[in-house]
């Protein structure tokens, strides 16, 4: 009976050793997965940071472009207003000149 118990203990010890080695291998693979994940996360965070900076720069440029466009629109409106006033003035002068021509022609 003692010999059978000894053999059973040896078999269980061997199985425990194998299970311990398997656990160590699994822990090593899990550590590699964790390390790969951490590296990928750091890479993605870096890219995200660069993209965030790019978005901020583009937003600033868009704001500047929008302000420039508004200023150009205001200047264009002033040119259009000045042109309309000049046109009205010239049409008025032209109307007076036409009236003078008609009066002179009638004489």
């Amino acid at each position: 009976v003692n010999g059978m118990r000894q053999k059973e203990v040896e078999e269980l010890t061997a199985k425990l050793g194998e299970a311990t080695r398997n656990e160590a291998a699994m822990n090593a693979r899990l550590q590699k997965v964790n390390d790969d994940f951490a590296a990928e996360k750091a890479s993605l965070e870096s890219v995200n940071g660069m993209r965030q900076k790019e978005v901020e720069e583009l937003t600033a440029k868009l704001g500047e472009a929008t302000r420039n466009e508004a200023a150009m629109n205001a200047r264009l409106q002033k040119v259009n207003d000045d042109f309309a006033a000049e046109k009205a003035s010239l049409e008025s002068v032209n109307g007076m000149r036409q009236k003078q021509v008609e009066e002179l022609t009638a004489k």
Side-chain angles (χ1 to χ4, degrees), residues 2-61:
N2 197 21
M4 289 189 335
R5 292 276 188 240
Q6 179 61 30
K7 185 174 180 179
E8 190 178 353
V9 167
E10 288 172 1
E11 288 173 358
L12 289 173
T13 301
K15 287 181 180 180
L16 177 60
E18 184 180 349
T20 302
R21 286 187 298 278
N22 289 343
E23 181 184 15
M26 288 173 61
N27 283 337
R29 287 195 301 267
L30 180 59
Q31 186 60 51
K32 173 138 180 27
V33 167
N34 284 339
D35 292 347
D36 290 348
F37 175 77
E40 183 68 16
K41 180 182 176 187
S43 174
L44 290 172
E45 287 173 345
S46 174
V47 168
N48 188 41
M50 290 186 294
R51 293 286 187 247
Q52 179 62 32
K53 185 175 181 182
E54 191 176 359
V55 165
E56 290 169 0
E57 290 171 354
L58 290 172
T59 300
K61 287 180 181 178

Side-chain angles (χ1 to χ4, degrees), residues 72-88:
M72 288 173 59
N73 284 338
R75 287 194 300 270
L76 180 58
Q77 185 60 53
K78 172 130 178 38
V79 168
N80 284 339
D81 292 346
D82 290 350
F83 176 77
E86 184 67 20
K87 180 181 175 189

